[in-house]
Amino acid sequence: MAQKSELVYFPTWTAGREGYAQRIIQIFEEYHKSKGFRVTEQKAAILRYLLDADRHLSEQDICEALKSKGIGKITVFRTLKVLEECGLVEPLTDSKGKIRYEVNRERPHHDHLICTVCNRIIEIQWPTVEATQVKMCKAIGFSISHHRHEIFGRCKECQMKSG
């Protein structure tokens, strides 16, 4: 079965996914400039690979895809850390406990459904749940800074396979 696209929610103000990618690259370059660093071809390739992906990627996924370009594990590891520091990528944990990454800057809020059989990650938005969270937090005087939901279970396809 072909891998379905996991990355779904992108800002409506961009010129599609390419417009979004250009904005993220711009932020990455500005961050480096503010620190007195430069964006190397290797760092740019790692970011572009993340931006072109249709799914949430592990560090190993990135390493395997880019090793033919001479990009090693250490460079991928360090670049992912910088991408986290400047708020461009967010990690999430898949059903096997492996960290996966998504470029999430300026994307609409969404949560994740994670299949414990095939490890597929499904992005989902649910305004009713969000509204209930805000209402309940307000009722008890709790100020939300951020949140994320990761719900583990079996996707429709895996449920059908197991009967």
Side-chain angles (χ1 to χ4, degrees):
M1 179 172 75
Q3 179 73 30
K4 291 183 179 178
S5 177
E6 293 178 351
L7 302 173
V8 178
Y9 300 108
F10 290 92
T12 56
W13 53 261
T14 62
R17 195 149 175 191
E18 187 55 37
Y20 178 73
Q22 289 172 1
R23 171 76 176 130
I24 297 304
I25 291 166
Q26 176 188 11
I27 293 168
F28 192 55
E29 289 170 350
E30 289 170 0
Y31 178 82
H32 276 72
K33 189 175 181 179
S34 75
K35 298 288 185 185
F37 303 137
R38 66 182 184 90
V39 177
T40 64
E41 285 184 37
Q42 291 179 322
K43 290 177 188 176
I46 293 165
L47 178 55
R48 178 47 78 178
Y49 188 73
L50 280 159
L51 287 166
D52 289 343
D54 284 336
R55 62 189 179 91
H56 301 78
L57 299 170
S58 69
E59 185 178 325
Q60 183 179 349
D61 293 332
I62 299 165
C63 288
E64 288 174 10
L66 300 177
K67 70 181 170 188
S68 65
K69 295 184 179 196
I71 299 173
K73 277 183 131 177
I74 299 298
T75 302
V76 171
F77 174 80
R78 288 180 179 158
T79 302
L80 286 170
K81 289 300 170 204
V82 171
L83 287 164
E84 278 187 79
E85 286 170 18
C86 65
L88 293 177
V89 300
E90 285 188 8
L92 67 134
T93 306
D94 70 14
S95 66
K96 311 291 188 243
K98 185 183 272 188
I99 301 297
R100 298 196 176 270
Y101 296 89
E102 68 178 343
V103 178
N104 204 23
R105 177 74 167 260
E106 299 174 358
R107 286 179 64 204
H109 176 73
H110 60 276
D111 297 307
H112 298 97
L113 307 177
I114 303 166
C115 182
T116 57
V117 178
C118 70
N119 214 23
R120 179 173 172 219
I121 300 170
I122 302 165
E123 293 185 343
I124 189 165
Q125 291 179 314
W126 31 34
T128 306
V129 172
E130 298 297 326
T132 301
Q133 288 174 157
V134 170
K135 180 180 174 185
M136 294 306 296
C137 289
K138 188 175 182 179
I140 64 169
F142 187 82
S143 174
I144 302 170
S145 63
H146 67 281
H147 79 278
R148 69 177 183 208
H149 289 146
E150 295 174 355
I151 299 177
F152 297 83
R154 291 187 305 154
C155 69
K156 186 177 184 177
E157 290 82 4
C158 288
Q159 289 177 63
M160 289 171 42
K161 286 179 191 173
S162 65

